[in-house]
Amino acid sequence: MVNHAASNNDTAILASDAIQNDYSIAVNSSASDNLADEYYFDANAENDAGNGSYINPYKELTSTRVNDNSIIHIANGEYEWDSFRTVSNVSIIGQSAENTIIRGGDGSGLRVSERLLLQNVTLVDFTISVNTGTQVNITNAVFKDSFSVSGGAL
C-alpha cells in the first residue's frame, strides 16, 4: 500500500484507512475554495421550503438566490424574476429552452462580470448587462421581448 503524507494545506485519506484502495487521495483545500455553489429550482415543487439542493430544490427563482460563482439548475416550468442583480461568474442551466421560462419585467435581470453561461432557457422581458471583458456563452436559449437603452439587445 502507498501512504502519502499530507502537507499543511491538504486533507488526506491514508491508504491504511481506505477500504479496497491501494492509494490515498489528497485534496488541496485552497483548490476546493474555488468551486462553484450549485442550486436547484423546480417550479413544480410543493412549496418553497427547500434548501436549493438537488433532492430538495427551491420553488421560487429569486434574484437573491443567484450569487457570485454559482451554477443555477432550473427544471422545466415558469419562473418570475423579481429584481435587478449584479453577479460575477454565473451559469444558468435550464432543463429545456422550450419549457424553462424566466420572466422578468420592470427592469429586472442581471449584470454579470467575468463569465456568464446561459443554456436551455427562454428569457422573457429580461435584461442582461455584461461588463467589458465578460466571457458570455449562450447555447439553446430564446430571448423574447428584450430591449436595451444602450448597447445592444437580442
Side-chain angles (χ1 to χ4, degrees):
M1 291 196 169
V2 178
N3 190 354
H4 296 282
S7 69
N8 289 340
N9 291 330
D10 292 339
T11 303
I13 300 170
L14 298 177
S16 59
D17 296 331
I19 299 172
Q20 298 178 352
N21 288 316
D22 291 331
Y23 56 89
S24 65
I25 299 171
V27 176
N28 183 331
S29 62
S30 63
S32 65
D33 292 340
N34 296 325
L35 297 177
D37 291 325
E38 295 193 47
Y39 301 98
Y40 293 82
F41 296 84
D42 187 348
N44 298 309
E46 186 175 321
N47 57 52
D48 197 40
N51 61 10
S53 67
Y54 178 77
I55 302 278
N56 197 9
Y58 293 124
K59 179 180 179 89
E60 304 292 329
L61 177 62
T62 63
S63 61
T64 57
R65 291 178 172 163
V66 176
N67 298 304
D68 293 346
N69 304 310
S70 61
I71 301 171
I72 307 303
H73 300 275
I74 308 173
N76 286 340
E78 291 199 23
Y79 302 85
E80 297 293 326
W81 189 264
D82 60 344
S83 65
F84 195 80
R85 176 113 171 139
T86 301
V87 292
S88 175
N89 193 28
V90 170
S91 297
I92 299 174
I93 303 169
Q95 187 174 350
S96 72
E98 298 79 22
N99 298 308
T100 304
I101 301 165
I102 303 171
R103 295 184 185 280
D106 296 327
S108 62
L110 287 172
R111 171 176 291 283
V112 182
S113 63
E114 291 185 39
R115 187 184 65 79
L116 169 65
L117 170 84
L118 290 175
Q119 183 176 330
N120 300 328
V121 294
T122 293
L123 301 174
V124 179
D125 195 14
F126 193 91
T127 301
I128 296 179
S129 301
V130 294
N131 293 343
T132 302
T134 299
Q135 177 186 351
V136 178
N137 295 303
I138 301 172
T139 305
N140 198 30
V142 177
F143 296 84
K144 292 182 179 180
D145 302 326
S146 297
F147 70 95
S148 176
V149 293
S150 65
L154 296 173

